[in-house]
Amino acid sequence: AVNGSRLWQSLMDMAQVGATPKGGVCRLALTDIDKEGRDLFVRWCEEAGCTVSVDRMGNIFARRAGRDDTLPPIIMGSHLDSQPTGGKYDGVYGVLAGLEVVRSLNDLGYVTEAPVEVAVWTNEEGSRFAPAMVSSGVFAGVFDLDYGLSRADLDGRTMGEELARIGYAGELPVGGRKVGAYFEAHIEQGPILEAEGKTIGVVTDCQGQRWYEITFTGQEAHAGPTPMTRRKDALLGAARVVDAVNRIGLKYGPFACATVGLMQIHPNSRNVIPGRVFFTVDFRHPDDSILAAMDGELRAAVAEIADGIGLDSDFQQIWYYAPIRFDADCVAAVRQGVERTGHSFRDIVSGAGHDACYLSKVAPTAMVFIPCIDGISHNEIEETTPEWVTAGCEVLLHAVLERANA
Amino acid sequence: AVNGSRLWQSLMDMAQVGATPKGGVCRLALTDIDKEGRDLFVRWCEEAGCTVSVDRMGNIFARRAGRDDTLPPIIMGSHLDSQPTGGKYDGVYGVLAGLEVVRSLNDLGYVTEAPVEVAVWTNEEGSRFAPAMVSSGVFAGVFDLDYGLSRADLDGRTMGEELARIGYAGELPVGGRKVGAYFEAHIEQGPILEAEGKTIGVVTDCQGQRWYEITFTGQEAHAGPTPMTRRKDALLGAARVVDAVNRIGLKYGPFACATVGLMQIHPNSRNVIPGRVFFTVDFRHPDDSILAAMDGELRAAVAEIADGIGLDSDFQQIWYYAPIRFDADCVAAVRQGVERTGHSFRDIVSGAGHDACYLSKVAPTAMVFIPCIDGISHNEIEETTPEWVTAGCEVLLHAVLERANA
Ligand SMILES: NC(=O)NCCC(=O)O
Ligand SMILES: NC(=O)NCCC(=O)O
């Protein structure tokens, strides 16, 4: 029912935009490369007969009219931005699987009752601008527009400025319209489906998440003549927190995840005791009460470590969302799609955050996962197979039809 | 005998070149700012009637002729480059105290037997280009010229390229000439003199030093769906080494120093498990056998930590020099200078490395320390007093006269 080789080819074509030597992509949100990827997507959508519009957060909507175009649309989508050393499928798959559904409907001359849209959400990764999923969050009313536009990268450039610069500061208000249902296809980004030999993950839940920013300030001093006992080494403090974060993750395992991914050392010179370190913590758990316990342990560990070295500590939780349960009817539509197409499947909890998490606040929502090789994502070697890619798109098509004709 | 207020004013004038908002300087080796500082020094020396020459490592020599100009020169000097967030005195003091000795001799119309030179050594700090003291090292024959010119910063630019770019790739061969004696004045950069109320440190020895570069390679993966037990987190490994380095420093205290000052995390994104971390270790001890024991413990710790997480490890000792004892006669000349000027003093071991360490390989060498406030250096708040600055210069003058007329 869908054209798997066309979809695969589109994935490979998009992967050229920001391609890295190791086979991945670097398409950070709102860079020139991101604009190039957006432009390509818009061109493909227009070629497929869609009407394209852009909202003030730069979210793109490509619309295929329904028989009754006044009905709320069924939206498919995900994101085109990537990590600095990201893969070819994370996000892109959900966007281009949506486009392939549109193209397949065109091939069949099939008109759905409700209109169908393909959405690209701005800055899902949260790598250049924190937090993640910020523009689907504005769409869902979780963040207000000013908050979204004022997110700044580490060099101080804001999303608002960068949207204007690349020509994607649209006119459309962000959200505030009725959505019939939202479906997002995505690679799993974890090892479960592949390990169990299942082709489709029917995503029932997403883990909750807490992000932190911590700055330790000690005192810069000379690495040679400064006795060990007189030091206020901010990096020593940060290092101990990295270890504590790992301990907390292991303690609340097997479902807890705890990561320090970003650290900036000041002045970062070999023979200077670091005077200031900025770093982040990423906590996840499917159970909100455990996520809260992890939070408590982190706060205690940071305070104790800072105190032990004599560091000043600035501690901010900058992002939190509780675990999310997707809409039972939409999940059922996905499961029905799997049964119709005959692929193997299992129910699964998403370890990553997705735009679907925020869409679920304002629309019946569900997700379709396909496996990725060795469970590796956020890595240039991220890989999946044409068969899985096709299977997930077939399931997406069936779920969308189910809802668009309901 | 010396003009303390002129010396202080010159220190303040030089501190304008690369001044930072917090009262320090950023004058990294071979940047445009470093060129500006060099140009100012050269102008001052020419105004003082010196003949200025530059060698192929960019070392500058300002020469005041002696009665017998065929005698080997007595050289005073230090460096003008700074840390990224450095102070106004580190290095600059030794250079400008040398210039003040020349200016004072001019005021007195005094001609020394041997010629007197003021030297500026290129890239003493080792911050932009590692290791430290590289150009005095080439002068002393510890490093060869190719090694010196090929030192690269973290962006891959070499000292050779940067010397040419700023116009300080001189024609003079590096070293290979007889030096009568070398004297370097410097702030202590540690807390001892101030704590004991002494104005002058007669430096008898310098600690030995070992510098390391370590790269841990694990696997980038998504911070959400990647179970704790499947991770190869390169930052977790680096963090544990930071803690181990601190433990080693404390274990071999009170004289051991052990520091991780520089760390680069890849890809440095909040929701990506770090796949690669590059970091440095700086070890110091006045006893070479203890420095060797620290080295052994570091190697064992790094291997064990990498193994425990499953990281690949690249471990390089990139710099080593054994503890240094200065020339007894030159030290005696300094001590005599202190006695003549009547300042309080104590013998002291230098915790920092200095160009004098390498000069001591090819010339009778000694150093004069003055206190700095709270022992703080490699920090924008580095401070000393006009009285100490003057006292150290007086001692330098006497030590130089003693040798230049011997
Ligand atoms: N799917 C995905 O990689 N999202 C990025 C946000 C997160 O870290 O969960
Ligand atoms: N004096 C000084 O700061 N030297 C830099 C080299 C070192 O780290 O010892």
Side-chain angles (χ1 to χ4, degrees):
Chain A
V2 304
N3 185 335
S5 59
R6 176 170 58 193
L7 171 53
W8 186 261
Q9 189 57 50
S10 294
L11 284 164
M12 294 306 111
D13 290 346
M14 186 59 82
Q16 294 301 308
V17 183
T20 60
K22 290 187 188 157
V25 296
C26 176
R27 199 162 52 229
L28 292 167
L30 307 186
T31 55
D32 292 349
I33 296 286
D34 186 21
K35 173 191 163 52
E36 217 181 294
R38 288 162 172 263
D39 288 350
L40 180 61
F41 170 73
V42 167
R43 179 159 67 76
W44 283 341
C45 290
E46 287 172 347
E47 285 168 5
C50 294
T51 311
V52 175
S53 58
V54 179
D55 73 17
R56 295 186 63 191
M57 286 303 300
N59 298 317
I60 307 171
F61 303 92
R63 182 179 177 102
R64 184 176 189 272
R67 203 179 320 267
D68 179 355
D69 217 39
T70 65
L71 288 173
I74 309 304
I75 305 185
M76 305 165 283
S78 193
H79 59 97
L80 291 177
D81 69 317
S82 83
Q83 292 288 330
T85 48
K88 297 188 281 288
Y89 309 96
D90 174 2
V92 188
Y93 175 56
V95 171
L96 297 185
L99 175 60
E100 177 51 37
V101 165
V102 167
R103 287 168 167 172
S104 298
L105 294 175
N106 288 350
D107 290 348
L108 298 165
Y110 188 105
V111 181
T112 51
E113 272 301 306
V116 165
E117 294 184 15
V118 185
V120 173
W121 306 104
T122 299
N123 185 45
E124 190 271 351
E125 290 291 356
S127 180
R128 180 173 177 200
F129 304 97
M133 297 133 53
V134 64
S135 307
S136 50
V138 177
F139 186 93
V142 174
F143 305 126
D144 63 31
L145 181 63
D146 284 348
Y147 174 87
L149 293 175
S150 64
R151 293 308 87 210
D153 67 13
L154 293 174
D155 299 322
R157 284 166 304 196
T158 65
M159 287 186 62
E161 287 158 26
E162 288 292 274
L163 277 168
R165 192 184 63 80
I166 68 164
Y168 274 89
E171 311 249 287
L172 215 62
V174 186
R177 60 182 176 122
K178 213 168 148 41
V179 176
Y182 179 73
F183 292 100
E184 183 165 347
H186 210 285
I187 56 167
E188 180 197 343
Q189 308 184 284
I192 299 169
L193 293 176
E194 190 192 32
E196 298 190 5
K198 306 292 191 195
T199 301
I200 299 293
V202 177
V203 187
T204 56
D205 299 81
C206 280
Q207 323 198 65
Q209 227 170 304
R210 288 177 187 262
W211 278 15
Y212 304 88
E213 292 183 353
I214 304 170
T215 302
F216 277 161
T217 306
Q219 183 168 51
E220 281 168 46
H222 197 304
T226 310
M228 298 304 291
T229 49
R230 278 176 77 103
R231 298 178 173 213
K232 293 181 181 174
D233 183 338
L235 181 56
L236 179 63
R240 288 180 177 164
V241 174
V242 170
D243 208 31
V245 162
N246 188 258
R247 258 198 320 274
I248 295 168
L250 287 168
K251 170 170 173 185
Y252 291 98
F255 295 121
C257 281
T259 308
V260 176
L262 183 147
M263 190 179 282
Q264 293 184 303
I265 294 97
H266 184 85
N268 218 28
S269 182
R270 294 160 198 254
N271 43 0
V272 184
I273 299 160
R276 191 174 73 245
V277 176
F278 169 84
F279 61 104
T280 62
V281 175
D282 173 318
F283 272 174
R284 319 216 178 184
H285 203 281
D287 177 335
D288 202 34
S289 66
I290 296 188
L291 198 56
M294 293 167 68
D295 173 86
E297 294 212 15
L298 178 65
R299 287 172 196 271
V302 166
E304 190 186 325
I305 288 165
D307 200 52
I309 304 175
L311 303 172
D312 287 334
S313 153
D314 181 74
F315 183 100
Q316 307 281 346
Q317 179 184 292
I318 62 146
W319 193 36
Y320 162 63
Y321 66 85
I324 277 146
R325 169 140 302 170
F326 287 133
D327 178 75
D329 292 342
C330 283
V331 172
V334 171
R335 205 174 279 119
Q336 216 171 80
V338 184
E339 277 156 17
R340 291 233 172 97
T341 53
H343 297 298
S344 60
F345 78 101
R346 62 162 279 168
D347 286 0
I348 194 165
V349 175
S350 175
H354 295 285
D355 295 304
C357 297
Y358 282 144
L359 265 294
S360 75
K361 307 287 182 195
V362 287
T365 293
M367 291 188 74
V368 181
F369 271 4
I370 60 169
C372 57
I373 307 289
D374 292 332
I376 293 293
S377 181
H378 287 191
N379 188 317
E380 291 158 279
I381 66 168
E382 177 185 277
E383 205 40 89
T384 182
T385 70
E387 293 68 34
W388 293 334
V389 158
T390 305
C393 187
E394 285 169 1
V395 172
L396 179 67
L397 171 68
H398 281 280
V400 166
L401 285 183
E402 164 84 17
R403 297 293 297 210
N405 295 328
Chain B
V2 305
N3 185 335
S5 60
R6 177 171 56 193
L7 171 53
W8 186 260
Q9 188 57 51
S10 293
L11 284 164
M12 295 306 111
D13 289 346
M14 185 60 82
Q16 294 302 308
V17 182
T20 59
K22 290 187 188 157
V25 297
C26 177
R27 200 164 50 229
L28 292 168
L30 307 186
T31 54
D32 292 350
I33 297 285
D34 187 21
K35 174 192 162 51
E36 217 181 293
R38 287 163 172 262
D39 288 351
L40 179 60
F41 170 73
V42 167
R43 179 159 68 75
W44 282 341
C45 291
E46 288 172 347
E47 286 168 4
C50 294
T51 311
V52 175
S53 58
V54 179
D55 74 16
R56 295 186 62 192
M57 286 304 299
N59 298 318
I60 308 172
F61 303 93
R63 183 179 177 101
R64 184 176 190 271
R67 203 178 322 265
D68 178 355
D69 217 38
T70 65
L71 287 173
I74 309 303
I75 305 185
M76 304 165 282
S78 194
H79 59 97
L80 290 177
D81 69 316
S82 83
Q83 292 288 331
T85 48
K88 296 188 280 289
Y89 309 96
D90 175 2
V92 188
Y93 174 56
V95 171
L96 297 184
L99 175 60
E100 177 52 38
V101 166
V102 167
R103 287 169 166 170
S104 299
L105 294 175
N106 288 350
D107 290 348
L108 299 166
Y110 187 104
V111 181
T112 51
E113 271 302 305
V116 164
E117 294 184 14
V118 186
V120 173
W121 306 104
T122 299
N123 186 44
E124 190 270 352
E125 289 291 356
S127 180
R128 181 174 175 199
F129 304 97
M133 297 132 55
V134 64
S135 306
S136 49
V138 176
F139 186 93
V142 174
F143 305 126
D144 63 30
L145 181 64
D146 284 348
Y147 175 86
L149 294 175
S150 64
R151 295 306 86 209
D153 67 12
L154 292 174
D155 299 323
R157 284 165 303 195
T158 65
M159 286 186 62
E161 287 159 26
E162 289 291 274
L163 277 169
R165 192 183 64 77
I166 68 164
Y168 273 89
E171 310 248 289
L172 215 62
V174 186
R177 61 182 175 122
K178 213 167 149 40
V179 175
Y182 178 74
F183 292 99
E184 183 166 348
H186 210 284
I187 56 166
E188 178 198 344
Q189 309 186 284
I192 298 169
L193 293 176
E194 190 192 32
E196 299 190 5
K198 307 291 190 195
T199 300
I200 298 294
V202 177
V203 187
T204 57
D205 300 80
C206 278
Q207 323 198 64
Q209 228 170 305
R210 289 177 186 262
W211 277 15
Y212 305 88
E213 292 183 354
I214 304 169
T215 303
F216 277 160
T217 306
Q219 183 167 52
E220 281 168 46
H222 197 304
T226 309
M228 298 305 289
T229 49
R230 279 175 77 103
R231 298 179 174 212
K232 293 181 181 172
D233 183 338
L235 181 56
L236 179 62
R240 288 179 177 165
V241 175
V242 170
D243 209 31
V245 161
N246 187 259
R247 258 198 320 274
I248 294 169
L250 287 168
K251 171 171 171 184
Y252 291 98
F255 296 121
C257 281
T259 309
V260 176
L262 183 146
M263 191 179 281
Q264 293 185 304
I265 293 98
H266 184 86
N268 219 27
S269 182
R270 295 160 196 254
N271 43 1
V272 184
I273 299 160
R276 192 174 73 244
V277 176
F278 169 85
F279 61 105
T280 62
V281 175
D282 174 318
F283 272 175
R284 319 216 178 183
H285 203 280
D287 178 335
D288 202 34
S289 66
I290 295 187
L291 197 56
M294 292 166 70
D295 173 87
E297 293 212 17
L298 178 65
R299 286 172 197 271
V302 166
E304 189 186 324
I305 288 165
D307 200 52
I309 304 174
L311 302 172
D312 287 335
S313 154
D314 181 74
F315 183 98
Q316 309 280 346
Q317 180 184 290
I318 61 147
W319 193 36
Y320 162 64
Y321 65 86
I324 278 146
R325 169 139 303 171
F326 286 133
D327 177 74
D329 292 342
C330 283
V331 171
V334 171
R335 206 174 279 120
Q336 218 170 79
V338 183
E339 277 155 18
R340 292 233 170 98
T341 52
H343 297 297
S344 60
F345 78 101
R346 61 161 281 170
D347 286 1
I348 194 165
V349 174
S350 173
H354 295 285
D355 295 305
C357 297
Y358 282 145
L359 264 294
S360 74
K361 307 288 181 193
V362 288
T365 294
M367 292 189 74
V368 181
F369 272 2
I370 60 169
C372 57
I373 305 290
D374 292 332
I376 292 293
S377 181
H378 287 191
N379 187 317
E380 291 158 278
I381 65 168
E382 178 185 276
E383 204 42 87
T384 183
T385 70
E387 292 70 33
W388 293 334
V389 157
T390 305
C393 187
E394 286 169 2
V395 173
L396 179 68
L397 171 69
H398 282 280
V400 165
L401 286 183
E402 164 83 18
R403 297 293 297 209
N405 296 329

